[in-house]
Amino acid sequence: MSGKAMIGGWEAAPGGRVRLRPRGGADIFDLALLGRTATIERVEEDMEGGVHLVVAVDDDPGRGLGAHNQLGHRFFVRPDEVEPLPGGAPARKVLVAGIGNVFHGDDGFGVEVVRRLGERQVPDGVDVTDFGIRGIDLMYALGDGYRTVILVDASARGHTPGTVSLIEPDAGGFGGTVDAHGLDPAQVLRLARDSGPVPPRVLLVACEPSARTSDTTWEMELSAPVGAAVDEAVRLIERLLEKELA
């Protein structure tokens, strides 16, 4: 997987806007796609070194079914089959990713924060997404051309329950321990780095869970201190977005 590619003097990267010009001519899909506008979702390289663009067509009613590998709703095209649209530079700048298992008490902190943030107006260029425990989806998203990713998660770091922390991990990971919900942000980040480019800036907004969370199953309520920390985390993320987009 590659994050971007130079094509005829312009840079094709995730988020770039293009018009499709299929060269096959006889194929029914070529005829259906001819002249349609689309957004580049991924730039991939095959085993022979050939570059392919994965695009989502703008007026495809099924494009919202999922960001990756939705059969029939993502198309592979060659670089010579697209032309850049004016002002079609990548619009994706910041990804806010909520992580956690909503059935494990305070482990649902990240999911609740992005839900609350999604109810507010966010600036252009910011995607707010609930990844839950979908580690593969998050790994792919980290290669989608964002400049910054803000991960939101419950993380046991030895603080008072409800304490919100801002962490900028180094290449080795986040430090501390992350609640065992099947999606370890440090591991996902390492896998994404092994697969290709990742955002140059990765931040973690973490909240200290209560002690009962590690033993909680099928509990969909946040504890009182963690529930009270949700709004604090939302305000922190909004300040971060203001700085990242300045």
Side-chain angles (χ1 to χ4, degrees), residues 38-114:
T39 300
I40 299 172
E41 296 219 334
R42 303 198 300 280
V43 180
E44 299 195 349
E45 184 175 336
D46 60 29
M47 296 293 290
E48 289 74 36
V51 176
H52 305 274
L53 310 180
V54 182
V55 302
V57 177
D58 289 345
D59 58 357
D60 179 1
R63 64 173 297 168
L65 292 176
H68 301 287
N69 300 321
Q70 292 296 323
L71 184 62
H73 299 287
R74 296 298 183 272
F75 300 93
F76 283 78
V77 296
R78 298 192 309 271
D80 62 351
E81 295 182 309
V82 302
E83 61 183 40
L85 290 175
R92 289 171 168 168
K93 296 180 181 178
V94 182
L95 171 65
V96 181
I99 298 170
N101 190 332
V102 296
F103 296 107
H104 283 250
D106 288 346
D107 195 44
F109 170 78
V111 173
E112 177 60 22
V113 169
V114 298

Side-chain angles (χ1 to χ4, degrees), residues 13-37:
R17 306 274 296 118
V18 296
R19 189 176 304 278
L20 303 178
R21 301 294 188 192
R23 295 180 178 273
D27 190 290
I28 186 64
F29 285 108
D30 291 340
L31 297 174
L33 295 176
L34 183 62
R36 306 274 284 278
T37 57

